[in-house]
Amino acid sequence: MSQRIWIVRHGNREDFQNPGWAKTASRPFDPALSADGETQAKEVGLSLQGKQVHRVFASPFLRTIQTASHIADALDLPVCLEPGIGEILPNVKSTPELLPEDERRRRFPRIDEEYTATYELPYPETSEEGHERAAVAARTLTDSFPDQNMLMVTHGAPVVGIVRGLTGLTDRITVPLCCIFTLQRNGCSWDVIQLSETSHLSNQESSKRFAHSG
């Protein structure tokens, strides 16, 4: 079978549940998953068992690390942190504070500390630049491991950038929380196998914080 990638948006986050969270947070751009977000992430992992995922890549933000770690537990795989598929923040001028490395290592033993990231978080950038950056990073990863299927755990806007950049899709794209996009390599291009899949989630309503394109 040709190479496949699964692209997943992170689960529900604590500031979606508590809109005032960022006002007192020490890392206001780096919320954790909410309780139902943890459940969503675990359900993604269960749905991907048996899918022949060989590698897991995640954005370095806490919510994506948590989501990827739950999925990796189900798949028994390490997690490679790749800033190239990190969040797109067009109004941010410098890299926001993220979880310190020592705490990250202690809390998330699935992280592959031997992995060397392909890109750094490139703020400031426009939305258009961010979409392009995520697509280029995804293409670099898939070209680097052409015989391996991979999962990319990221954010709403990078999902749009990756899907559009790899497939050339111009239709409107909706990106619910913990949805799954499936793409398959077709020579030098990619075909869409599944868009915005959420049938694996036990609570469909909890996923409906959409990111959109179009």
Coordinates of all heavy atoms in Angstrom, one line a residue, residues 72 82 113 124 126 160 214:
A72 N -0.2 7.7 21.3 CA 1.0 6.8 21.2 C 0.9 5.7 22.3 O 1.5 4.6 22.0 CB 2.2 7.7 21.5
E82 N 7.8 18.1 16.5 CA 8.2 18.7 15.3 C 7.6 20.1 15.2 O 6.4 20.3 15.0 CB 7.8 17.9 14.1 CG 8.1 18.6 12.8 CD 9.6 19.0 12.7 OE1 10.5 18.2 12.8 OE2 9.8 20.3 12.6
E113 N 13.5 11.8 22.8 CA 14.5 12.8 23.0 C 15.6 12.8 22.0 O 16.4 13.7 21.9 CB 15.0 12.8 24.4 CG 13.9 13.0 25.5 CD 13.3 14.4 25.5 OE1 13.9 15.3 24.8 OE2 12.3 14.6 26.1
P124 N 7.6 36.0 14.1 CA 6.3 36.2 13.5 C 6.1 35.6 12.1 O 7.0 35.5 11.4 CB 6.2 37.7 13.5 CG 7.6 38.2 13.3 CD 8.5 37.2 14.0
T126 N 2.7 35.4 9.0 CA 1.2 35.6 8.6 C 0.5 34.2 8.6 O 1.2 33.2 8.6 CB 1.1 36.2 7.3 OG1 1.6 35.3 6.3 CG2 1.9 37.5 7.2
V160 N -5.3 22.5 8.1 CA -5.8 23.1 6.9 C -4.6 23.3 5.9 O -4.6 23.0 4.7 CB -6.5 24.5 7.1 CG1 -6.8 25.2 5.8 CG2 -7.8 24.2 7.9
G214 N -11.4 28.5 4.0 CA -12.3 28.8 2.9 C -12.9 30.1 2.8 O -13.4 30.6 1.9

